[in-house]
Amino acid sequence: QVQLVESGGELVQAGGSLRLSCAASGRTFNNHAMGWFRQAPGKEREFVAAITWSGGSTYYADSVKGRFTISRDNAKNTVYLQMNSLKLEDTAVYYCATAQYGSSWPTVRPYEYAYWGQGTQVTVSS
């Protein structure tokens, strides 16, 4: 079992920046790829970014490429999502998740993730 706790979400103006954190506990963290997803009201959960267990490879949704950066610190069992140049359409609940062991790369589909956090709200205002 892996427990994930996201933090860092808040209200921010368009063009601003936020850094989300996801702290993991429980089973071994650093053997699994990690991902960030988001879900806006009335919409399906969508992939945002993923990072391999070593941190050597990352993958992004086209909508955030060049603005968001995913990273991880395995010594701290934490994964981060740095979000810059935020847009109104980035407003959503952001979730981190642990990929299932042996999942393919890039790991972009929700069913490929075994454990999820409770989410943190990011609201971008004009």
Side-chain angles (χ1 to χ4, degrees):
Q1 193 81 3
V2 175
Q3 292 79 41
L4 303 173
V5 179
E6 301 96 334
S7 62
E10 62 181 67
L11 175 64
V12 63
Q13 284 195 327
S17 298
L18 280 177
R19 189 176 83 154
L20 305 184
S21 298
C22 173
S25 61
R27 280 179 53 192
T28 304
F29 165 80
N30 55 1
N31 288 341
H32 297 265
M34 297 290 295
W36 285 97
F37 288 74
R38 65 187 182 187
Q39 188 166 20
K43 294 188 177 182
E44 292 188 353
R45 191 168 298 190
E46 66 171 350
F47 169 79
V48 174
I51 187 167
T52 55
W53 69 269
S54 67
S57 293
T58 57
Y59 189 79
Y60 298 92
D62 287 343
S63 58
V64 306
K65 200 173 296 182
R67 299 188 298 122
F68 290 11
T69 302
I70 188 172
S71 61
R72 67 190 295 166
D73 184 339
N74 287 341
K76 295 182 178 179
N77 287 351
T78 302
V79 63
Y80 305 97
L81 186 68
Q82 177 67 43
M83 306 186 296
N84 298 329
S85 302
L86 283 162
K87 303 177 180 180
L88 297 179
E89 53 264 41
D90 294 320
T91 295
V93 178
Y94 283 72
Y95 300 89
C96 70
T98 303
Q100 297 187 44
Y101 187 76
S103 57
S104 60
W105 180 261
T107 315
V108 302
R109 294 173 175 79
Y111 67 79
E112 296 179 294
Y113 287 81
Y115 301 100
W116 295 79
Q118 82 292 344
T120 186
Q121 176 70 49
V122 172
T123 303
V124 183
S125 65
S126 58

